[in-house]
Amino acid sequence: MTSSTITDASARPAGSDFARLSARVSAAGLMRRRPGYYVARSLLVGAFAAATATAFVLLGDSPWQLAVAAAAAVLYGQIALLAHDVAHRQVFRTRRPSAIAGRILGNLGIGMSYGWWMDKHTRHHANPNHEGLDPDVEPGALVWTGEQARASRGVNRLLNRHQAVLFFPLLTLAGLDLRRASLQGLLGANGAKVRRRGLELTLLAVHALGYLVALLAVLPPGLAVAFFAVHQGLFGVYLGSIFAPNHKGMEMPTQAMDFLRKQVLTSRNVAGGRLTDGLLHVAMGGLNHQIEHHLFPSMPTPNLRRSRTLVREFCAEIGVPYHETGLVRSWAESLGQLRAASTPLRS
């Protein structure tokens, strides 16, 4: 597995369930690029960034800067989502422009290595929720199975024991922890396959230096620390709120599955009502349609919602469970897995 791209599996048996579904999706035109959508979305994110930076400079030494920090957390989340779509080649067809845009958005924009994340996310898509293969279910401050809980040691064991209660507080550190892991990956600590390591490290340094200089130039030290804490903490919570409801609490395969079942059975769609579905789609960058995204990673975000009915009907035809629930219920199921996994430590 390489970090070159995260695209749809193209070499599937001609008569497989996925091949039949893929033919229907392609016939409906749902794999076509949407350049107008991504131009508009990029302009909106750019305008959001300009407005946030302007407010930061104009407010100066003011307690309202904490509101700006909260807005900046949402901005970072939206930049991360845009980088995610770039990585999946939803925006550009080829590697070079995708890599350029990804490094600008990831390394320079939010201070996280694009190449490291590509390597990690590719492995996740190949085997979602598969212990030992999916890096998103590796044990650490959180564990996902009773076996992982029994094997935990030290501080992690204490955290794991109460992980369902501590989940949201721990998310405040998620953004910083991902940056730490990406830096280690660039330095070769975890075997990540990353191109242009020197360039990525330089861009990370430019981001970090620019961020700290801006804080100290505009804000007094105490307010600068508060801004940093609010910004980075809420950014971590936002990231966790985008990604955790999509897989946590779903099936964790222990045996081989065909591609379609591997992706559908480990994923959860998050649905909103008539008034909230559009807002949920924007807030989660379309990843509330996680089943469709995992089946067709290079499908442009605006087409995911349109493909939902087609995919759901096909799953019903072949008898594959298609799980979709509301946002509150998705969190209840996710936290339920955390509680169940930590049971051996509380017994």
Side-chain angles (χ1 to χ4, degrees):
M1 192 66 61
T2 70
S3 61
S4 60
T5 185
I6 311 172
T7 56
D8 309 317
S10 57
R12 303 292 170 198
S16 70
D17 289 330
F18 177 75
R20 292 191 292 126
L21 173 60
S22 183
R24 297 187 190 183
V25 167
S26 296
L30 296 172
M31 298 305 297
R32 294 173 187 158
R33 293 294 192 271
R34 298 287 297 273
Y37 164 83
Y38 281 107
V39 168
R41 181 172 163 187
S42 298
L43 289 174
L44 287 172
V45 172
F48 186 12
T52 303
T54 300
F56 175 75
V57 172
L58 293 180
L59 280 173
D61 184 2
S62 166
W64 285 104
Q65 287 285 12
L66 298 184
V68 177
V74 176
L75 171 64
Y76 268 39
Q78 287 295 313
I79 293 173
L81 287 168
L82 192 54
H84 170 271
D85 288 8
V86 166
H88 281 292
R89 295 197 186 170
Q90 297 175 22
V91 184
F92 304 104
R93 291 183 182 275
T94 57
R95 185 188 64 80
R96 182 175 173 79
S98 297
I100 292 172
R103 290 178 184 127
I104 292 172
L105 293 166
N107 296 60
L108 196 58
I110 61 174
M112 188 183 303
S113 167
Y114 169 79
W116 166 83
W117 183 86
M118 279 280 289
D119 178 79
K120 173 179 178 290
H121 199 59
T122 300
R123 289 184 282 128
H124 161 70
H125 266 265
N127 292 285
N129 270 18
H130 195 300
E131 188 177 357
L133 296 174
D134 181 359
D136 289 352
V137 292
E138 289 181 355
L142 299 173
V143 292
W144 311 103
T145 66
E147 290 73 19
Q148 290 180 347
R150 294 184 188 95
S152 66
R153 296 291 183 271
V155 175
N156 279 345
R157 189 174 181 87
L158 177 62
L159 295 174
N160 297 157
R161 183 180 302 164
H162 307 289
Q163 61 183 15
V165 174
L166 295 174
F167 182 66
F168 284 103
L170 287 172
L171 281 185
T172 62
L173 302 174
L176 295 174
D177 187 60
L178 285 169
R179 290 189 183 89
R180 174 200 58 78
S182 76
L183 180 59
Q184 288 182 334
L186 287 179
L187 296 175
N190 53 21
K193 300 174 182 178
V194 182
R195 300 170 183 261
R196 307 292 298 273
R197 291 174 185 264
L199 174 60
E200 292 219 7
L201 284 168
T202 299
L203 292 174
L204 289 183
V206 171
H207 171 87
L209 182 62
Y211 183 88
L212 293 175
V213 167
L215 283 184
L216 297 176
V218 174
L219 305 178
L223 187 55
V225 171
F227 186 101
F228 179 90
V230 171
H231 179 205
Q232 300 301 328
L234 291 182
F235 174 50
V237 172
Y238 185 24
L239 279 183
S241 299
I242 292 170
F243 291 102
N246 300 327
H247 294 287
K248 307 313 177 190
M250 296 301 294
E251 184 169 338
M252 296 188 67
T254 57
Q255 57 188 7
M257 293 181 178
D258 68 282
F259 178 77
L260 183 143
R261 286 162 180 80
K262 183 193 301 185
Q263 304 301 334
V264 174
L265 296 177
T266 60
S267 302
R268 176 196 295 109
N269 274 15
V270 181
R274 289 186 177 181
L275 298 177
T276 60
D277 192 62
L279 179 60
L280 191 63
H281 183 85
V282 172
M284 297 185 71
L287 297 183
N288 52 315
H289 299 99
Q290 188 72 188
I291 295 173
E292 289 72 26
H293 171 63
H294 260 257
L295 286 170
F296 303 99
S298 63
M299 180 182 288
T301 290
N303 292 350
L304 293 172
R305 189 189 306 184
R306 293 171 52 202
S307 68
R308 170 178 164 270
T309 300
L310 191 156
V311 172
R312 185 173 57 180
E313 290 176 350
F314 184 83
C315 287
E317 286 180 24
I318 63 174
V320 173
Y322 178 103
H323 189 46
E324 182 176 88
T325 188
L327 183 61
V328 174
R329 180 62 186 172
S330 72
W331 276 115
E333 293 176 2
S334 300
L335 294 174
Q337 180 188 14
L338 291 175
R339 281 192 295 270
S342 63
T343 297
L345 301 180
R346 300 193 307 274
S347 300

